Amino acid sequence: QVQLAESGGGLVQAGGSLRLSCAASGNIFSINVMGWHRQAPGKQRELVAAISSGGLNYAESVKGRFTISRDIGVNTVYLQMNNLKPEDTAVYYCNIGAVVPNPHRWLDVWGQGTLVTVSS
């Protein structure tokens, strides 16, 4: 079984910064993709940023403000969020695509979410 532990959410004023972290643990053979999604009240969940061996992918609304990175050695993905805006307010979910052994299979794993609130 694979677990994700998210941290770093909170309340910040517009223009401020937050850094989210998500650490994966469990019986993992490899992690192919790590990313962050968010869901604002009354809206659908959307991709914010993702990182894989193929590169980086960002939502247009966060380009130039958010940076995704990962530490493969500790199976952790980060989301540095700068110049936050009230419209960034949402629950942020960590998501990974991993291969687990015995038997080898693909798992799509989601964290429980961390709330980011940006005040104007």
Side-chain angles (χ1 to χ4, degrees), residues 4-7 19-24 31 33-36 49-51 67-72 74-80 93-96:
L4 299 179
E6 300 156 326
S7 61
R19 189 191 195 208
L20 305 183
S21 299
C22 173
I31 297 177
V33 60
M34 307 183 84
W36 292 92
I51 183 169
T67 302
I68 190 169
S69 62
R70 63 180 175 178
D71 186 336
I72 295 175
V74 292
N75 289 338
T76 300
V77 62
Y78 306 95
L79 186 68
Q80 178 66 43
Y93 296 91
C94 177
N95 170 239
I96 70 167

